[in-house]
């Protein structure tokens, strides 16, 4: 460890030399006011410019099809960026949209404010003026879209193209005040050509890398914010819950969220009566495995700033390696057996960084709750959740970290301590994770690793994990695979083509093995993967897998065929489909047989302000005689109307239909109105109704005939308003 720290110090001393030779942009300070309106006032003539952009796709290395000019200026309080995007007016794609959700042409800039060559802020604005932001992490291998900053923007379309203007107050971001230069890059998406261009050149086999950013040099200014740096969000919340016989339980609540930055290296988040509401119901999940389903977190308190608690090494683009989920925030305020939710009473969070160190902490308290489980009265005790994170940058842009997550109640203590990190260069990453769980006086170990190497002509991926039988994080994390060990190794050639309709081809061979103690058997299989990407922004991938497996004392030949394809060839519509045919053990029916699954997603901009779409799925279960046992259909159509930017009305329906009963088994209907009327300020109104065919009783306690009936109906009105100091 001492050697690693010494090497890190040496590399820090020579950071200027590492950056030497890259493109630079000088940042000049102006005293006059800059109006963010999508127009180029005379003050912009004082700005340095970035003009030489590079095409990344569809024709890597060729000159961009259209000219782009980016400029930067600063005042005492904020950083300003102006990007002029030249193009025929008729070819500019403009769609009204919501925050973080839009289509059409976009322009963006990214800044590495700590000079760590590993993380950066990304600010993006569409030609119609819709904005989105995120954090680039792990040298841009991953993006944290939960980050939501206070910044301002405008866009305007001209005869020659369009212009985007952005203002980022320094108090809205974190940065190292001692630096005299930041990392910088600019980006543009030209929709009519499906064209990605960057100011900095990147390798096709790698993608964008923060470590290869250019330099933004402070010529006569260094940012140093003064003031309270305080954000206050009062939250109003009215909820109407359907009980029965047309009766509703109406209650109103109020709370407040406070964000306070006492320095540019520390953020504190305090919450009173926190807003843990999930606006939209979880989608249907078809699950015939022995493990519980995983659902994404949707509650704002947990999604914002969650990146600091994530283990290192996730691969966003490939999805090849996912570290063990030791902090699964859905455990906090979880749903109980009868559908009731554990009440949350308070929550607080702190995160920041000092030099090469990043840190974070989380505390939440849940209240006591009575519920029914199979008609038996149970009680969820009051509990205290906590998490702590410490991470250090080493060896330029590699990292090592420590994570603790725990839940304590009068009845049980459950938690985990984890050491994780990643060694990385621009074209490879080796991630690792070692964890120890505890449950009262017992505990177990778990570990995982992932290696992904992306060379110009070769791809190599290896991953594995070991989870002890006694490794139990069921109250704080999502690691249900107790008593298992897994190893996967894939390697093969990849070709990039400079011309023609095909952009790239990849052919990968490998093997997979997984040991499960409950079966005392190691499943094993060979795999072949073929991937083809086309320049018109569509592609497909075929997976062929064959081997042997055993579950519940049944040994059988395992096989699988997977076809994934996506089409984004038009700005008006997109389509993705996934077909999976496999022979596996069906734990719901307790036999090995074939399963066939098809899922698709379709979005269509019927009008500039109207989007129609649907998520569709069909799941076919065969029996051992290879005849169909059951077909389950799930469809989720929606209509989304956005008359002006950041104001949206969305109506959706989610239905589950089974062939054997020839009827709908579950129905969810929902309406969501949302309006982001200023940064971090929202009005929400949501109505959700859930119907199913669970047991229903009349007033005398008699069981009624099986029918589709309402079991949950909720209306929510919520207001969030930002007071910014």
């Amino acid at each position: 460890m001492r050697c690693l720290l010494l090497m890190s110090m040496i590399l820090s001393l020579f950071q200027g030399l590492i950056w030497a030779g890259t493109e630079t942009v000088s940042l000049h300070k102006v005293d006059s006011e800059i109006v963010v309106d999508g127009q180029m006032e005379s003050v912009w003539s004082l700005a340095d410019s970035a003009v030489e952009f590079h095409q990344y796709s569809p024709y890597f290395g060729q000159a961009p099809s259209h000219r782009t000019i980016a400029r930067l200026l600063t005042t005492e309080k904020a950083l300003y960026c102006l990007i002029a995007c030249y193009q025929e007016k008729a070819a500019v794609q403009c769609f009204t949209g919501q925050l973080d959700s839009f289509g059409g042409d976009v322009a963006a800039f990214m800044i590495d404010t700590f000079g760590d060559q590993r993380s950066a802020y990304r600010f993006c604005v569409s030609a119609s003026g819709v904005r989105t932001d995120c954090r680039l992490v792990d040298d841009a291998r991953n993006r944290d879209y939960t980050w939501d900053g206070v910044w301002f923007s405008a866009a305007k379309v001209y005869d020659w193209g369009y212009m985007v203007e952005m203002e980022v107050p320094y108090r809205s971001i974190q940065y190292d005040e001692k630096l005299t230069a930041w990392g910088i890059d600019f980006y543009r998406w030209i929709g009519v050509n499906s064209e990605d261009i960057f100011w900095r050149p990147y390798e096709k086999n790698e993608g964008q890398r923060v470590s290869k950013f250019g330099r933004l040099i402070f010529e006569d200014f260094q940012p140093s914010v003064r003031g309270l740096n305080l954000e206050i969000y009062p939250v109003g919340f009215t909820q109407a819950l359907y009980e029965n016989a047309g009766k509703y339980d109406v209650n109103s609540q109020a709370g407040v969220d406070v964000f306070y930055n006492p320095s540019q290296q520390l953020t504190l988040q305090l919450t009173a009566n926190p807003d843990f509401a999930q606006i939209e119901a979880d989608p249907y999940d078809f699950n015939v495995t022995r493990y519980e389903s995983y659902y994404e977190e949707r509650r704002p308190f947990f999604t914002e700033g969650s990146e600091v608690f994530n283990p290192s090494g996730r691969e966003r683009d490939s999805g090849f390696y996912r570290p063990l989920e030791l902090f699964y925030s859905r455990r906090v305020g979880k749903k109980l057996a009868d559908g009731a939710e554990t009440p949350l009473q308070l929550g607080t969070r702190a995160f920041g960084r000092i030099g090469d160190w990043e840190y974070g902490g989380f505390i939440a308290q849940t209240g006591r709750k009575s519920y029914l489980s199979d008609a038996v009265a149970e009680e969820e005790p009051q509990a205290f959740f906590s998490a702590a994170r410490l991470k250090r940058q080493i060896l330029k842009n590699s990292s090592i970290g420590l994570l603790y997550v725990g839940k304590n109640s009068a009845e049980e203590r459950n938690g985990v301590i984890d050491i994780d990190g990643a060694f990385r260069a621009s074209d490879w990453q080796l991630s690792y994770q070692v964890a120890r769980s505890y449950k009262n006086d017992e505990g177990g170990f778990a570990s995982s690793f992932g290696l992904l190497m992306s060379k110009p002509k070769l791809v190599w991926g290896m991953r594995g994990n070991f989870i002890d039988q006694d490794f139990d994080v069921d109250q704080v994390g999502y690691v249900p695979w107790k008593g298992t060990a897994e190893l996967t190794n894939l390697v093969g050639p990849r070709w990039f083509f400079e011309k023609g309709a095909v952009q790239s081809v990849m052919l990968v061979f490998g093997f997979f093995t997984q040991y499960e103690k409950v079966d005392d058997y190691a499943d094993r299989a060979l795999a072949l993967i073929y991937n083809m990407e086309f320049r018109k922004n569509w592609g497909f991938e075929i997976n062929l897998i064959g081997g042997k497996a055993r579950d519940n004392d049944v040994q059988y030949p395992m096989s699988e065929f997977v076809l994934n394809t996506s089409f984004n060839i038009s700005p008006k519509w997109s389509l993705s489909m996934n077909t999976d045919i496999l022979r596996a053990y069906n734990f719901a029916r307790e036999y090995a047989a074939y399963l066939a699954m098809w899922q698709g997603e379709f979005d269509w901009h019927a009008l500039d302000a109207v989007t129609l779409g649907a998520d569709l799925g069909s799941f076919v279960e065969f029996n051992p005689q290879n005849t169909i046992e059951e077909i389950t259909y799930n469809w989720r159509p929606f209509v989304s109307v956005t008359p002006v930017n950041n104001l949206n009305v969305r109506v959706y329906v989610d239905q589950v239909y089974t062939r054997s009963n020839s009827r709908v088994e579950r129905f969810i209907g929902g309406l969501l109105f949302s309006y982001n009327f200023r940064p971090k300020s929202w009005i929400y109104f949501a109505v959700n109704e859930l119907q199913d065919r669970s047991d229903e009783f009349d007033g005398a306690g008699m069981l009624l005939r099986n029918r589709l009936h309402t079991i949950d109906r909720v209306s929510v009105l919520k207001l969030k308003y930002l007071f910014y100091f």
Side-chain angles (χ1 to χ4, degrees):
M1 180 60 74
R2 290 183 178 179
C3 292
L4 293 178
L5 295 177
L6 179 60
M7 293 179 68
S8 177
M9 293 173 62
I10 294 173
L11 286 169
S12 297
L13 291 174
F14 287 94
Q15 187 180 54
L17 295 178
I18 294 172
W19 262 345
T22 62
E23 287 94 334
T24 63
V25 175
S26 297
L27 182 65
H28 298 283
K29 179 177 176 291
V30 296
D31 296 324
S32 58
E33 180 183 3
I34 300 177
V35 180
V36 179
D37 55 5
Q39 301 183 59
M40 186 184 296
E41 294 86 359
S42 59
V43 67
W44 283 106
S45 63
L46 303 175
D48 196 4
S49 300
V51 295
E52 296 295 331
F53 279 71
H54 304 267
Q55 185 176 168
Y56 182 78
S57 68
Y59 293 98
F60 176 76
Q62 294 190 16
S65 61
H66 296 85
R67 188 184 181 203
T68 307
I69 300 177
R71 292 180 169 89
L72 290 168
L73 284 174
T74 186
T75 63
E76 192 72 29
K77 297 180 179 180
L79 175 67
Y80 293 84
C81 177
L82 183 142
I83 304 178
C85 302
Y86 291 88
Q87 189 175 348
E88 300 82 4
K89 182 177 181 180
V92 176
Q93 297 174 0
C94 289
F95 301 101
T96 55
Q98 312 168 68
L99 176 68
D100 296 341
S101 178
F102 56 80
D105 291 272
V106 298
F109 82 104
M110 295 133 285
I111 45 175
D112 172 9
T113 58
F114 284 92
D116 60 14
Q117 304 185 53
R118 180 169 52 90
S119 61
Y121 293 98
R122 183 177 188 267
F123 305 92
C124 181
V125 181
S126 75
S128 62
V130 185
R131 66 184 185 91
T132 183
D133 54 32
C134 70
R135 291 271 296 156
L136 305 180
V137 296
D138 295 336
D139 202 7
R141 287 174 171 84
N142 292 297
R143 294 181 181 180
D144 176 20
Y145 285 101
T146 66
W147 184 80
D148 186 15
V150 178
W151 56 287
F152 309 92
S153 64
K156 190 172 182 178
V157 178
Y158 297 87
D159 290 338
W160 50 263
Y162 70 97
M163 186 173 293
V164 163
E165 198 170 9
M166 293 171 268
E167 174 191 353
V168 180
Y170 288 115
R171 61 183 176 181
S172 298
I173 58 176
Q174 294 184 324
Y175 56 87
D176 186 343
E177 297 181 15
K178 299 178 182 178
L179 293 181
T180 58
W182 289 353
I184 183 74
D185 195 16
F186 304 94
Y187 167 78
R188 180 181 173 189
W189 165 258
I190 305 173
V192 69
N193 298 330
S194 299
E195 185 175 335
D196 282 299
I197 65 172
F198 293 92
W199 178 56
R200 290 287 292 129
Y202 299 106
E203 298 299 326
K204 185 63 177 178
N205 58 295
E206 296 174 2
Q208 186 184 27
R209 292 289 181 258
V210 179
S211 55
K212 294 186 176 182
F213 276 15
R215 295 183 69 192
L216 175 63
I217 301 174
F218 302 124
E219 291 291 346
D220 48 9
F221 168 78
Q222 262 183 281
S224 179
V225 173
R226 298 290 183 267
L228 291 177
N229 305 313
L230 181 66
E231 300 177 19
I232 300 178
Y233 297 93
V235 178
F237 190 86
T238 298
Q239 191 173 42
L241 293 171
Y242 180 78
E243 292 183 331
N244 54 54
K247 296 181 180 179
Y248 291 85
D249 177 19
V250 180
N251 65 83
S252 298
Q253 302 179 40
V256 63
D257 289 340
V258 179
F259 287 83
Y260 176 45
N261 289 22
S263 74
Q264 291 309 304
Q265 288 79 39
L266 173 62
T267 297
L268 298 174
Q269 181 181 356
L270 304 174
T271 290
N273 195 18
D275 167 25
F276 290 107
Q278 180 172 315
I279 294 295
E280 190 171 323
D282 289 317
Y284 172 74
D285 182 63
F286 180 78
N287 186 355
V288 294
T289 72
R290 57 162 48 114
Y291 305 113
E292 68 170 308
S293 297
Y294 179 88
Y295 292 100
E296 296 291 339
E297 180 62 85
R298 294 165 178 253
R299 298 170 294 176
F301 180 83
F302 292 104
T303 57
E304 295 177 6
S306 61
E307 185 275 328
V308 69
F309 298 101
N310 291 336
S312 300
R314 291 178 184 267
E315 293 283 354
R316 176 182 60 89
D317 292 331
S318 69
F320 179 73
Y321 172 69
R322 284 194 64 178
L324 303 177
E325 189 111 8
L326 302 178
F327 182 24
Y328 182 37
S329 58
R330 297 276 302 225
R331 305 295 191 204
V332 186
K334 64 183 180 181
K335 289 190 175 182
L336 303 172
D338 62 355
E341 293 184 355
T342 309
L344 286 127
Q345 298 171 334
L346 62 89
T348 185
R349 185 201 310 262
F351 52 90
R353 60 191 298 167
I354 300 176
D356 292 334
W357 294 91
E358 294 182 63
Y359 57 89
F362 165 80
I363 296 173
Q365 181 175 299
T366 59
R368 191 179 303 274
K369 180 67 175 180
S370 298
Y371 65 98
L372 293 176
S373 178
D374 295 328
V376 177
E378 302 281 355
E379 186 173 72
E380 178 74 13
Q382 185 179 57
F384 181 80
F385 291 83
S386 58
R389 178 66 161 159
L390 187 64
K391 185 190 297 185
R392 192 185 197 281
Q393 180 177 338
I394 60 174
L395 301 175
K396 191 178 178 181
N397 69 354
S398 300
S399 62
I400 184 171
L402 179 69
L403 173 68
Y404 161 77
V405 185
K407 175 187 177 183
N408 291 276
S409 68
E411 300 179 358
E412 184 180 75
R413 296 181 301 110
N414 185 216
V416 63
I417 298 175
D418 156 80
I419 297 175
D420 64 84
F423 296 100
R424 61 176 68 94
S426 61
D427 60 357
W428 64 268
Q429 178 175 257
L430 173 62
S431 309
Y432 58 90
Q433 184 181 38
V434 180
R436 164 75 176 182
S437 72
Y438 68 85
K439 187 172 184 179
N440 295 329
D441 297 327
E442 299 179 351
F445 287 93
S447 62
S448 72
F449 77 93
L451 170 66
L452 187 62
M453 185 175 293
S454 181
K455 297 293 184 179
K457 297 182 179 181
L458 181 72
V459 176
W460 178 29
M462 180 182 289
R463 70 184 181 204
N465 62 56
F466 167 79
I467 304 169
D468 188 77
Q469 182 68 33
D470 297 322
F471 187 81
D472 187 344
V473 293
D474 288 350
Q475 298 299 311
V476 295
Y478 180 83
V479 187
W481 315 284
K482 301 178 183 67
T484 65
E486 180 250 331
L487 178 64
T488 299
N489 185 68
L490 299 170
V491 64
R494 178 170 60 183
W495 298 271
F496 293 105
F497 303 97
E498 295 182 1
K499 300 178 180 179
V502 179
Q503 188 166 223
S504 67
V505 171
M506 181 177 68
L507 184 64
V508 174
F509 308 85
F511 69 86
F512 160 84
T513 181
Q514 182 182 35
Y515 173 80
E516 293 181 282
K517 186 174 182 179
V518 66
D519 298 310
D520 193 24
Y521 187 82
D523 299 347
R524 48 197 180 273
L526 297 177
L528 172 65
I529 301 174
Y530 181 78
N531 179 283
M532 180 176 284
E533 299 293 332
F534 295 85
R535 297 197 194 278
K536 290 296 185 180
N537 211 25
W538 72 279
F540 69 88
E541 180 175 290
I542 297 175
N543 297 354
L544 297 175
I545 300 172
K548 295 182 178 181
R550 184 167 75 188
D551 292 293
N552 279 4
D553 295 326
V554 176
Q555 189 166 325
Y556 57 93
M558 173 180 58
S559 60
E560 186 170 11
F561 167 82
V562 180
L563 171 62
N564 295 319
T565 184
S566 63
F567 299 85
N568 294 281
I569 59 179
S570 168
K572 291 287 187 179
W573 62 270
S574 65
L575 172 68
S576 63
M577 294 182 293
N578 173 41
T579 301
D580 191 351
I581 302 172
L582 70 157
R583 182 175 176 83
Y585 193 85
N586 188 324
F587 283 88
R589 302 186 183 276
E590 299 184 341
Y591 54 65
Y594 281 102
L595 296 165
M597 295 176 283
W598 179 88
Q599 292 178 289
E601 182 177 344
F602 176 71
D603 293 310
W604 174 43
H605 285 285
L607 300 170
D608 287 350
V610 178
T611 301
L612 306 177
D615 297 334
L616 307 170
S618 63
F619 311 94
V620 183
E621 299 173 78
F622 291 85
N623 57 35
Q625 290 73 43
N626 294 330
T627 58
I628 294 176
E629 187 73 23
E630 180 65 281
I631 304 178
T632 303
Y633 302 94
N634 176 229
W635 58 91
R636 190 182 176 103
F638 71 87
V639 178
S640 178
V641 181
T642 311
V644 296
N645 284 341
N646 298 323
L647 189 155
N648 177 255
V649 178
R650 185 170 182 267
V651 179
Y652 73 95
V653 173
D654 188 327
Q655 299 182 80
V656 178
Y657 178 93
T658 57
R659 189 190 71 159
S660 60
N661 294 323
S662 300
R663 66 188 187 188
V664 174
E665 298 291 338
R666 192 191 79 167
F667 170 88
I668 297 177
L671 177 147
L672 173 61
F673 169 88
S674 59
Y675 180 34
N676 179 208
F677 55 92
R678 58 173 294 177
K680 288 192 173 183
S681 297
W682 293 82
I683 296 175
Y684 295 104
F685 175 70
V687 178
N688 282 309
E689 174 161 326
L690 172 60
Q691 298 180 3
D692 69 9
R693 297 183 183 274
S694 58
D695 289 343
E696 183 183 12
F697 301 88
D698 63 16
M702 299 297 293
L703 182 65
L704 299 174
R705 66 178 180 86
N706 187 286
R707 64 171 187 167
L708 200 64
H709 61 279
T710 299
I711 62 170
D712 188 22
R713 182 182 295 155
V714 58
S715 302
V716 176
L717 176 64
K718 182 167 65 173
L719 171 65
K720 292 180 64 176
Y721 188 83
L722 169 63
F723 291 92
Y724 189 47
F725 301 95

